[in-house]
Amino acid sequence: MPKSAKAKAEQSVPPPPPAPLAVPVADSHTHLDMQDTTVEEALAQAAAVGVTRVVQIGCDVERAHWAARTAAEHPDRIWAAVALHPNEAPRLGDGLATALDEIAALAALPQVRAIGETGLDYFRTGDEGKAAQHHSFRRHIAIAKEHGKALVIHDRDAHDDVLRILKEEGAPERTVFHCYSGDTAMAEICAAEGYYMSFAGNVTFASAQPLRDALAVAPPELLLVETDAPFLTPAPFRGRPNAPYLIPVTLRAMAAVKSMTEDDLAAHIAANTARVFADA
């Protein structure tokens, strides 16, 4: 087999399971519908390493319905979050209002514990799409507050506008920056506002020292851990399929940055996750 073909084949192989965590935690942000396993297989693999709950994200109308339905089928293992991803807003055009109404209806369901992932993404959307993203984000904030649900934010290349809109609208009591991507100064702002910061596998990347610096100043009582699977597989498995069972790899890297034991950090994360999602 040519070397390039062999490397490609190796990248398609799921990483081995890590040693189990002694203190169970949840994967606070995952996309089971995009992973190459059944829901039951993914949940079993996760539970075997101490990841006993996942938050399934629905980021368009169809996936939001799937998330709500799947959470209802697995009430002890899955919580749902529903929203329109920021990049959906410009694409929907005149259909945006109807889609937002569907998200609002799903938000009333008991298994839906959060509104997300919503926010702003300037990486793939140019200036012409910003107005739609801003409108959608503001409506999602209102939906979260109306239903008493957590808000899960996608923030890519839009830190200042995300923070500004949160301040203008009034952030929900429980607000999470999914796949935290800000710097140390932003982490200090989030801490002052009581916003939760969820770190994913990219915190382990060699190029991610700014993320580790931000993690270092983030209070343990505001930390969550996630996979964003199938994306952002942690090192040393970068490029291979991600899944909730790899949470221990990221959590252990986070504990090293925080100079905490993994059990201590896991206990904080478990309590934080319950505070954000279980009380919805």
Side-chain angles (χ1 to χ4, degrees), residues 26-29 152 175-178 196-200 215 219-226 247 250-251 254 265 268-277:
D27 179 350
S28 72
H29 193 110
V152 176
T175 294
V176 178
F177 276 80
H178 132 70
Y196 292 83
M197 290 162 272
S198 182
F199 285 83
L215 171 60
E221 60 270 20
L222 292 175
L223 290 177
L224 301 176
V225 65
E226 65 173 91
I247 279 284
T250 299
L251 187 144
M254 291 172 64
L265 180 59
H268 276 286
I269 286 175
N272 299 343
T273 309
R275 205 158 47 239
V276 171
F277 299 106

Side-chain angles (χ1 to χ4, degrees), residues 114-127:
I115 306 305
E117 58 190 281
T118 180
L120 303 176
D121 187 324
Y122 294 166
F123 180 74
R124 290 191 176 89
T125 299
D127 289 343

Side-chain angles (χ1 to χ4, degrees), residues 179-181 198-209 211-212 226-228 231-235 238 242 250:
C179 190
Y180 182 83
S181 59
S198 182
F199 285 83
N202 57 336
V203 77
T204 69
F205 296 173
S207 60
Q209 190 57 47
L211 273 185
R212 290 187 285 275
E226 65 173 91
T227 57
D228 198 23
F231 314 107
L232 299 179
T233 311
R238 187 176 182 180
N242 200 6
T250 299

Side-chain angles (χ1 to χ4, degrees), residues 103-135:
I103 295 300
L106 289 170
L109 297 173
Q111 70 270 29
V112 173
R113 301 304 182 94
I115 306 305
E117 58 190 281
T118 180
L120 303 176
D121 187 324
Y122 294 166
F123 180 74
R124 290 191 176 89
T125 299
D127 289 343
E128 71 282 356
K130 287 183 179 179
Q133 285 199 3
H134 289 191
H135 170 72

Side-chain angles (χ1 to χ4, degrees), residues 5-264:
K6 181 179 179 181
K8 187 174 181 180
E10 288 175 348
Q11 282 197 319
S12 69
V13 177
L21 296 169
V23 177
V25 299
D27 179 350
S28 72
H29 193 110
T30 196
H31 302 274
L32 295 173
D33 50 327
M34 301 181 191
Q35 296 167 37
D36 193 22
T37 60
T38 67
V39 170
E40 290 72 20
E41 287 170 342
L43 294 176
Q45 290 167 352
V49 296
V51 181
T52 55
R53 171 88 65 172
V54 304
V55 180
Q56 166 63 26
I57 306 297
C59 49
D60 59 29
V61 169
E62 181 180 354
R63 293 181 188 278
H65 278 281
W66 190 91
R69 183 171 63 251
T70 305
E73 293 168 354
H74 301 274
D76 297 329
R77 303 297 305 281
I78 300 175
W79 289 322
V82 300
L84 306 177
H85 189 283
N87 290 328
E88 281 295 298
R91 295 175 190 150
L92 287 167
D94 293 340
L96 178 58
T98 299
L100 286 167
D101 287 344
E102 286 202 55
I103 295 300
L106 289 170
L109 297 173
Q111 70 270 29
V112 173
R113 301 304 182 94
I115 306 305
E117 58 190 281
T118 180
L120 303 176
D121 187 324
Y122 294 166
F123 180 74
R124 290 191 176 89
T125 299
D127 289 343
E128 71 282 356
K130 287 183 179 179
Q133 285 199 3
H134 289 191
H135 170 72
S136 179
F137 185 28
R138 291 179 191 273
R139 179 72 192 284
H140 281 89
I141 293 170
I143 292 169
K145 292 196 291 187
E146 178 184 352
H147 293 279
K149 303 295 172 79
L151 183 74
V152 176
I153 293 175
H154 172 105
D155 165 26
R156 189 165 189 185
D157 295 348
H159 306 322
D160 290 344
D161 281 352
V162 167
L163 291 171
R164 174 180 59 81
I165 290 173
L166 281 174
K167 187 171 184 178
E168 290 173 357
E169 297 296 322
E173 182 179 351
R174 289 160 293 136
T175 294
V176 178
F177 276 80
H178 132 70
C179 190
Y180 182 83
S181 59
D183 59 11
T184 299
M186 183 172 164
E188 291 170 343
I189 292 171
C190 289
E193 297 292 340
Y195 301 154
Y196 292 83
M197 290 162 272
S198 182
F199 285 83
N202 57 336
V203 77
T204 69
F205 296 173
S207 60
Q209 190 57 47
L211 273 185
R212 290 187 285 275
D213 292 342
L215 171 60
V217 304
E221 60 270 20
L222 292 175
L223 290 177
L224 301 176
V225 65
E226 65 173 91
T227 57
D228 198 23
F231 314 107
L232 299 179
T233 311
F237 308 113
R238 187 176 182 180
R240 294 168 68 178
N242 200 6
Y245 75 88
L246 291 174
I247 279 284
V249 179
T250 299
L251 187 144
R252 288 175 177 128
M254 291 172 64
V257 171
K258 297 296 291 179
S259 298
M260 298 172 67
T261 68
E262 69 177 69
D263 289 359
D264 191 17

